[in-house]
Amino acid sequence: MNSLMDMTHSSLHGMGTARRAAGVGYISSEATAIIVDSRWILILMVVLIVADFRFGMMESKVRYRDAERDGDKVRMDYYKWHPSRAWRRTFNKLADYLVIMLVCQVIGMAILAPVGIDYLYGPWAGGVIACGCEIFSIFGHFFFLRGVTVEKRNLVGFFKALLVALARRKDEDVGEALDEALNNNKETK
């Protein structure tokens, strides 16, 4: 009886492996197609990820120095530079963005292809979403490093903060006046 159970289990296990291999083969061929067909947005994505890594590292060092100055051991431990954590998060981010592009390709194949639109617009849309996320992250680090606070985490808030950061770069007083004017304008409405 055990030999029959072993044979049944063995044959089911073999079928599952073949199905998994076929699934991985199909997904890897689609992933390869995404990389080849969307190489320019992938290059832009990698450049933005590297820039975010650099700005994030600089922000972490500033926050660590602030915590060290305040004597806050918990914040010091949190913002201490951990290279393995930084690299792991950076590569996980790239993998997440590739998965977003793969999902958008499948959605593009399901929705765009039947209506006569090239399905490659799907992964491009996913790449644009990923690049947008990276740009917002880079601006967040940039604003922190320049001492600018973003009041609202939306496009208008980021543009206001960018204007203040650029004005402060030219003249600190002009930047402060612009920041005050933008905040007073919000309060009077």
Side-chain angles (χ1 to χ4, degrees):
M1 184 75 169
N2 281 343
S3 62
L4 180 62
M5 296 265 301
D6 289 339
M7 284 181 9
T8 305
H9 176 62
S10 171
S11 66
L12 287 176
H13 181 69
M15 285 178 59
T17 302
R19 286 187 193 134
R20 282 193 296 269
V24 167
Y26 177 74
I27 289 173
S28 67
S29 68
E30 289 299 320
T32 303
I34 288 174
I35 290 170
V36 170
D37 295 334
S38 304
R39 62 186 166 272
W40 297 113
I41 196 123
L42 283 170
I43 290 169
L44 176 63
M45 199 182 322
V46 168
V47 167
L48 290 173
I49 288 172
V50 169
D52 185 47
F53 179 84
R54 177 75 173 120
F55 278 107
M57 181 177 65
M58 290 172 17
E59 179 180 345
S60 180
K61 287 180 180 179
V62 169
R63 288 185 184 266
Y64 179 81
R65 276 189 257 134
D66 290 345
E68 190 175 40
R69 185 189 64 232
D70 296 341
D72 190 348
K73 300 271 188 213
V74 174
R75 279 185 23 220
M76 283 173 58
D77 185 49
Y78 184 75
Y79 290 114
K80 182 182 175 191
W81 177 245
H82 300 280
S84 63
R85 183 189 308 169
W87 286 108
R88 185 181 69 245
R89 286 181 178 176
T90 300
F91 283 111
N92 282 343
K93 188 185 296 189
L94 180 62
D96 288 343
Y97 291 155
L98 288 174
V99 168
I100 288 171
M101 290 179 72
L102 183 63
V103 168
C104 287
Q105 173 145 353
V106 171
I107 291 170
M109 292 169 80
I111 296 172
L112 298 177
V115 295
I117 301 172
D118 190 7
Y119 69 90
L120 290 176
Y121 288 114
W124 275 81
V128 167
I129 291 169
C131 289
C133 293
E134 283 303 299
I135 288 169
F136 276 116
S137 179
I138 290 168
F139 275 130
H141 297 309
F142 174 78
F143 293 146
F144 176 81
L145 292 170
R146 297 289 183 253
V148 176
T149 57
V150 180
E151 296 295 325
K152 291 185 178 181
R153 290 279 185 179
N154 59 22
L155 203 54
V156 175
F158 274 104
F159 279 126
K160 285 181 180 179
L162 181 62
L163 282 173
V164 171
L166 292 174
R168 280 188 180 164
R169 191 171 177 190
K170 293 290 182 184
D171 185 9
E172 187 69 30
D173 294 332
V174 172
E176 288 297 322
L178 183 61
D179 189 25
E180 186 178 314
L182 290 173
N183 288 334
N184 284 342
N185 186 22
K186 181 184 72 173
E187 292 173 3
T188 57
K189 286 185 177 180

